[in-house]
Amino acid sequence: MLTKLPVSWRHRIAQIIRTPAALQFQRAARQPRKYQEKRLLQLLKINRDTAFGQQYDFHQIKNFDQFREKVPLMSPEALRPWVERMQKGEQSILTVEEPVFYGKSTGTSGTPKEIPINDTYRADFQRSVMVGIWFCYRSVPEAFSHKLLYFVAERCLDHTEKGLEIGYISGYNFTEMPEQIRSIYAWPYELVQIDDLETRLYLSLHIAILDKVSLIAGIFPTNVLLMFRALERYAAELAEHFDAGTYPSWLKLTPEQQAFFARYQQKSADLAERMRKAAQAPSSEKVAITFPYLRAIFCWKTSTAGLYIPEMQERVGPDIKILDTIYSATEGWCSIPLGEEEDGGPVALTSHIYEFIEEDAVEEHQANLEVLSHLPTKLVDELEDGQRYYIVLTTSAGLYRYFLGDLVEVCGFWRKLPRIKFVRKYGASYNLVGERLEETNVNVSVGQALKHVERRAAWFAMLPVFGKKPCYQLFVEFADEEASQEALQHFANEVHKQLETASFYWEEFTHEGVLGRLQVKQVKAGSMARQFARWEAEGRSVGQLKLSHLLTDPEKLPCRPEEDIVCEVQAELLQQ
């Protein structure tokens, strides 16, 4: 059996299995428009007799232009009633093929959505996964010498009226993998089902240390950093328990979980000695000592994620590569990682059908899809380098011209395909008095300010405040020690200074008194970890949660402002 072979051999066999999908992708990239139109017409032909296909005359559509003319852009709100009919048991609504699962979005920018997942969609989704891993294996083969750590979320959170599971697609895909493939991964799925966050973090480290791990893969870097920060707290305790072959008494596990995780209890003098060295080492050496076979980490590096990469690189050291991973959502996989130092990847051409709307058009019409449906969209071969577009998806799951709400930027080309990187969600900008502050402005300004004051942030987020004089509040949890009042004032002034450079009207409106001075609120150390634990207790998985840095809803802050504020200051206005 495959599971009996050395892990490196299993990786080689998996690479051979992935090769046909990679070759198909490369062939399609030679004529992207032709490939996309062929896929579109096949999809419409299959689903022309569905309720949606009949309403929008799929049988009359012969090309992209007719598709765009007959089918309006679809919002999450417009999708919902169709999905509700399917969940009640009606058949042939969006697709002829019935769903096997409903994928729940993380709700980063709004109400979580439930996306129908059928076997064809899973195959389309997994096809791009295979292509992405194929390229990464070729680029960083040393990262595929031992086992992988992969962050997933819970498979089942609820059920439809007809009994189908509703949950996170990462958990569903992971648990549906053949056992031979899952054997390459170090963590068992049962780890995800532990309710207590600290217990899960401790056992995540314990199990990862038992196996030789050469690659860590996740979506958002904060999940990886949570584990690395936990290493600071638990290295000495791990050494103690590897010496004794026990677990700490404080772990919160059900009797069934205690029985399951007993198999990972192991007495090891070598691992105990390794963890004693890690406990005594500086932060910049702990990860390398703990995971001596680790060679690469794949996670998001662009947009809000980019602010956490310096801390991660500092913790893992210069010899471990941090590479940009897939850009995807529950609704679709949008790019292929090439395993290169450069961020972004070519459009995932062989998984879905793509259209793009220019950023200015969406902003001008405030994402009014009724208006935007009458404007021309661009196809995958019509994008321009350096320009920004919103993605529109058509997929085998029954999303037709679905406005994803994600803004991407074209950052060059791979063959004839545009390379894209995620910029922000629609609405990740605010305009209290005409300043038009974007999340990218916040990322750049806070990032530069942190460099200037030589601090790291565990997280931060900007929140608009309405009133007689509107203003913004910046919440920040420092990753190292808490800042003094004086140090926080210095940081606040530096953020304000950077915002004057990053946002065109910030200086003008703050000096004129139209926009109130920036308020900076420092929260207690560990606030994010505690809030993550509370969210999970409420049934909201944080396994693949993506943090936003410009929010409009205080409920999305990873802290409790009424309890966690340590001190606050107002930025001082610089002399003009």
Side-chain angles (χ1 to χ4, degrees):
M1 284 184 65
L2 188 62
T3 54
K4 302 293 184 182
L5 295 174
V7 176
S8 60
W9 288 25
R10 284 179 253 168
H11 281 300
R12 291 172 193 164
I13 292 170
Q15 183 71 349
I16 293 170
I17 294 170
R18 292 188 287 260
T19 298
L23 295 177
Q24 179 195 22
F25 176 76
Q26 293 178 72
R27 288 193 299 269
R30 297 174 189 153
Q31 295 180 299
R33 169 82 70 98
K34 182 179 179 180
Y35 183 86
Q36 286 272 286
E37 190 160 72
K38 179 181 178 181
R39 285 216 63 190
L40 172 67
L41 296 180
Q42 288 174 340
L43 184 65
L44 298 182
K45 181 179 180 180
I46 291 169
N47 295 302
R48 63 187 177 186
D49 293 325
T50 62
F52 192 92
Q54 290 177 345
Q55 180 167 325
Y56 293 105
D57 297 326
F58 279 9
H59 66 285
Q60 294 182 5
I61 298 174
K62 305 300 181 186
N63 53 48
F64 252 122
D65 289 339
Q66 291 177 355
F67 178 59
R68 291 183 283 192
E69 179 184 335
K70 287 185 173 294
V71 181
L73 293 171
M74 175 187 282
S75 67
E77 293 72 29
L79 173 67
R80 188 170 294 116
W82 296 96
V83 172
E84 288 173 352
R85 290 175 62 183
M86 296 169 71
Q87 291 180 335
K88 290 177 181 177
E90 290 190 55
Q91 296 185 340
S92 201
I93 300 300
L94 290 169
T95 57
V96 172
E97 186 178 0
E98 294 305 308
V100 295
F101 179 77
Y102 285 89
K104 198 177 189 73
S105 71
T106 54
T108 303
S109 60
T111 303
K113 301 170 283 291
E114 294 172 3
I115 307 300
I117 308 296
N118 56 38
D119 286 333
T120 299
Y121 176 78
R122 281 194 64 233
D124 291 343
F125 199 97
Q126 291 298 113
R127 186 180 303 113
S128 284
V129 173
M130 290 194 291
V131 175
I133 297 176
W134 187 85
F135 277 108
C136 293
Y137 185 99
R138 285 168 60 90
S139 179
V140 197
E142 63 272 20
F144 294 83
S145 57
H146 298 288
K147 287 200 173 184
L148 317 181
L149 297 183
Y150 178 51
F151 289 80
V152 303
E154 280 210 65
R155 168 178 173 143
C156 185
L157 302 173
D158 202 353
H159 291 85
T160 68
E161 292 181 19
K162 294 298 181 180
L164 284 184
E165 292 174 311
I166 302 172
Y168 295 108
I169 193 169
S170 62
Y172 182 81
N173 283 336
F174 185 78
T175 52
E176 291 294 314
M177 283 182 187
E179 180 57 35
Q180 292 91 334
I181 301 298
R182 285 177 65 181
S183 70
I184 294 173
Y185 295 81
W187 284 334
Y189 174 73
E190 287 76 6
L191 198 60
V192 180
Q193 298 176 303
I194 296 174
D195 291 332
D196 181 66
L197 181 61
E198 288 302 311
T199 298
R200 192 180 332 127
L201 286 170
Y202 183 93
L203 286 175
S204 296
L205 287 166
H206 177 97
I207 295 170
I209 293 163
L210 284 177
D211 268 313
K212 296 176 180 179
V213 170
S214 57
L215 172 64
I216 298 176
I219 297 296
F220 206 80
T222 49
N223 297 303
V224 184
L225 281 175
L226 277 176
M227 184 177 70
F228 289 166
R229 292 168 188 161
L231 184 59
E232 298 263 4
R233 303 192 296 275
Y234 297 133
E237 197 168 4
L238 283 159
E240 175 188 341
H241 287 284
F242 276 126
D243 248 341
T246 59
Y247 284 147
S249 59
W250 58 263
L251 297 185
K252 297 178 181 178
L253 298 169
T254 66
E256 293 79 11
Q257 289 170 338
Q258 288 175 4
F260 177 84
F261 287 103
R263 71 190 67 183
Y264 295 101
Q265 283 183 289
Q266 183 173 316
K267 187 173 182 177
S268 171
D270 289 342
L271 293 180
E273 180 59 26
R274 185 198 299 177
M275 295 317 299
R276 275 192 286 272
K277 289 180 181 178
Q280 296 166 4
S283 298
S284 59
E285 298 175 13
K286 288 184 187 296
V287 173
I289 292 171
T290 302
F291 303 112
Y293 300 94
L294 182 61
R295 294 295 177 266
I297 298 173
F298 287 98
C299 65
W300 276 12
K301 293 177 63 181
T302 61
S303 187
T304 57
L307 272 295
Y308 302 96
I309 299 303
E311 179 187 349
M312 185 180 291
Q313 192 71 72
E314 184 178 326
R315 286 184 180 276
V316 302
D319 297 331
I320 297 174
K321 296 179 180 179
I322 302 176
L323 302 172
D324 201 18
T325 190
I326 58 101
Y327 152 51
S328 68
T330 306
E331 295 92 332
W333 182 298
C334 299
S335 74
I336 299 289
L338 298 176
E340 299 174 348
E341 297 288 342
E342 186 179 353
D343 296 339
V347 173
L349 187 71
T350 55
S351 284
H352 316 302
I353 294 101
Y354 302 87
E355 299 172 63
F356 300 86
I357 308 176
E358 292 174 332
E359 177 188 16
D360 289 345
V362 174
E363 303 295 340
E364 179 185 348
H365 297 290
Q366 299 181 325
N368 184 325
L369 299 192
E370 185 176 349
V371 175
L372 293 173
S373 291
H374 298 290
L375 300 180
T377 58
K378 289 185 177 292
L379 301 181
V380 70
D381 62 339
E382 297 176 319
L383 305 191
E384 299 177 31
D385 191 16
Q387 297 303 304
R388 305 204 297 189
Y389 305 89
Y390 283 94
I391 291 184
V392 174
L393 283 176
T394 296
T395 77
S396 54
L399 276 59
Y400 300 101
R401 307 201 70 210
Y402 180 85
F403 183 75
L404 188 58
D406 285 6
L407 183 67
V408 298
E409 182 176 321
V410 178
C411 49
F413 292 85
W414 181 83
R415 300 191 178 179
K416 294 184 178 181
L417 285 179
R419 293 177 64 121
I420 58 173
K421 62 180 180 181
F422 176 75
V423 176
R424 60 175 171 85
K425 298 290 291 185
Y426 176 77
S429 62
Y430 223 78
N431 205 12
L432 287 173
V433 294
E435 74 287 357
R436 194 178 176 183
L437 184 69
E438 291 193 0
E439 189 172 44
T440 48
N441 303 143
V442 177
N443 292 340
V444 170
S445 300
V446 177
Q448 289 298 320
L450 287 167
K451 283 184 182 178
H452 187 82
V453 302
E454 298 181 336
R455 300 296 297 265
R456 295 197 310 253
W459 67 272
F460 62 86
M462 192 90 89
L463 193 71
V465 178
F466 300 90
K468 290 184 178 179
K469 184 179 285 189
C471 67
Y472 287 89
Q473 294 178 340
L474 174 63
F475 294 80
V476 59
E477 177 188 328
F478 291 108
D480 32 34
E481 63 185 16
E482 291 179 354
S484 65
Q485 190 89 7
E486 181 181 1
L488 188 66
Q489 185 68 64
H490 180 43
F491 173 67
N493 294 345
E494 188 61 33
V495 174
H496 172 79
K497 175 183 174 182
Q498 296 296 334
L499 281 167
E500 287 191 337
T501 302
S503 180
F504 186 73
Y505 290 110
W506 185 273
E507 179 180 9
E508 178 182 343
F509 289 147
T510 52
H511 281 278
E512 289 180 355
V514 177
L515 185 65
R517 286 188 288 165
L518 175 68
Q519 301 173 6
V520 178
K521 299 174 181 283
Q522 180 180 196
V523 302
K524 296 175 185 175
S527 295
M528 180 178 72
R530 288 190 293 273
Q531 185 62 29
F532 275 17
R534 285 190 287 264
W535 279 340
E536 292 214 334
E538 296 167 1
R540 180 181 177 188
S541 176
V542 300
Q544 294 191 330
L545 183 67
K546 310 171 188 76
L547 290 181
S548 295
H549 289 161
L550 182 57
L551 302 171
T552 57
D553 182 1
E555 294 296 318
K556 292 188 178 293
L557 284 169
C559 72
R560 285 184 171 175
E562 67 278 6
E563 299 175 9
D564 293 337
I565 302 300
V566 176
C567 60
E568 55 187 281
V569 299
Q570 278 192 328
E572 297 167 346
L573 298 186
L574 305 177
Q575 296 223 347
Q576 288 181 302

